[in-house]
Amino acid sequence: MFNKFRIFFASILLAIFSSGSNANTLPESESSTLTPKQQSIILIAALTAQGDLESLAAALDEGLTRGLTINEIKEILIQMYAYTGFPRSLNGIITFEKVLKSRQEKGIYDEIGVEPNQVRTDKSKYEIGKENLALLTGVLPSGHSTGYAAFMPTIEVFLKEHLFADIFERGVLDYQTRELITVSALTSLGNVNTQLKSHINVSMHNGITESQLRDLIALINNHIDKDIANNATTVLNQVLSNRQQ
């Protein structure tokens, strides 16, 4: 009788732990140079770019559990549309709304966090965007346009006024975090190595280390795709080689 009771009790415990576990939960890497919040930010951006909404829902839930605020995640998803387009961004936002509703139904109410800023009105959006871009990249603007900006000035105006004024002026996330988001998204998109190379350089200018970038790629490798992670490693190695010259 005692042995039967032990077996019955053990089966109940196994059922409890099995039902409480989530196969989609994203494990925290203890050896990573990235904080748990940074790991969640990277995966939220990467999975949004991929359009993998089931895995994204798990990453969003885990990100909130790790301490990301609602407004921080909203900023990630807003920024995504500038790099991955409205469809990916909107699907991410819809998924986030569902995750929040599910958590609230379980009695979990997450911190809203800092409210975003309004765009300054002391200068034109173009001038504000130009200043923010200079701060982000460490490169002072030249007096004349070249490359795509000279070929199609309209897109250069959109970049300055909208991406680097409307979005980057919102605050909530610092420049380093916004570059983690961008590098993660570009890595996951694939076939944008020119932009990925540029933003790896910009991320390092904003204090992201080589080790952190390699850990970012490791997360992509483990949770997204090995081939796109290998491509990112190649691009990172090219950037590091050029920076040493």
Side-chain angles (χ1 to χ4, degrees):
M1 176 66 73
F2 180 71
N3 285 336
K4 287 182 179 180
F5 177 78
R6 282 199 308 175
I7 294 170
F8 176 72
F9 185 69
S11 67
I12 291 176
L13 286 177
L14 179 61
I16 291 171
F17 284 116
S18 297
S19 64
S21 65
N22 184 345
N24 289 323
T25 297
L26 306 169
E28 180 180 328
S29 174
E30 294 180 357
S31 61
S32 178
T33 57
L34 298 162
T35 68
K37 283 186 180 182
Q38 286 174 325
Q39 292 176 47
S40 287
I41 287 166
I42 288 163
L43 288 173
I44 289 168
L47 291 165
T48 301
Q50 283 276 300
D52 182 352
L53 302 184
E54 182 178 356
S55 297
L56 174 60
L60 290 165
D61 187 72
E62 188 74 12
L64 290 166
T65 299
R66 289 177 173 181
L68 287 175
T69 68
I70 291 172
N71 282 344
E72 285 173 334
I73 292 178
K74 282 182 177 180
E75 287 303 311
I76 297 170
L77 299 174
I78 289 170
Q79 185 174 324
M80 281 299 90
Y81 103 78
Y83 293 99
T84 65
F86 273 115
R88 293 289 197 235
S89 174
L90 291 174
N91 286 341
I93 290 167
I94 292 166
T95 301
F96 186 39
E97 185 179 18
K98 291 177 180 178
V99 168
L100 286 175
K101 183 178 180 181
S102 175
R103 288 171 69 88
Q104 288 167 4
E105 288 172 350
K106 297 172 185 175
I108 304 171
Y109 292 90
D110 299 287
E111 182 184 350
I112 294 175
V114 176
E115 293 295 330
N117 301 322
Q118 296 294 320
V119 180
R120 289 178 285 137
T121 57
D122 59 323
K123 296 179 181 179
S124 69
K125 284 187 180 180
Y126 185 83
E127 289 301 318
I128 292 170
K130 189 162 67 172
E131 289 177 2
N132 287 341
L133 181 59
L135 288 171
L136 181 70
T137 62
V139 178
L140 295 175
S142 62
H144 61 282
S145 298
T146 60
Y148 71 83
F151 177 66
M152 191 169 290
T154 301
I155 199 68
E156 193 262 347
V157 172
F158 288 171
L159 280 168
K160 295 286 197 312
E161 291 187 348
H162 190 45
L163 176 57
F164 296 113
D166 285 333
I167 294 180
F168 272 68
E169 275 286 290
R170 289 173 62 82
V172 181
L173 303 174
D174 59 22
Y175 282 1
Q176 185 182 95
T177 301
R178 289 192 180 276
E179 279 308 301
L180 276 179
I181 293 166
T182 303
V183 170
S184 303
L186 294 176
T187 296
S188 294
L189 276 176
N191 298 318
V192 288
N193 283 358
T194 299
Q195 290 77 20
L196 178 58
K197 187 179 295 184
S198 173
H199 280 280
I200 286 175
N201 269 308
V202 174
S203 72
M204 297 186 82
H205 172 72
N206 283 276
I208 298 173
T209 66
E210 176 187 344
S211 296
Q212 287 176 314
L213 288 166
R214 294 201 183 279
D215 284 340
L216 180 157
I217 294 170
L219 281 172
I220 301 294
N221 181 79
N222 294 336
H223 296 282
I224 309 294
D225 184 86
K226 289 181 171 57
D227 289 337
I228 61 175
N230 289 337
N231 176 70
T233 298
T234 299
V235 174
L236 173 59
N237 289 337
Q238 290 171 351
V239 169
L240 294 171
S241 177
N242 291 335
R243 290 173 70 92
Q244 291 170 359
Q245 292 177 1

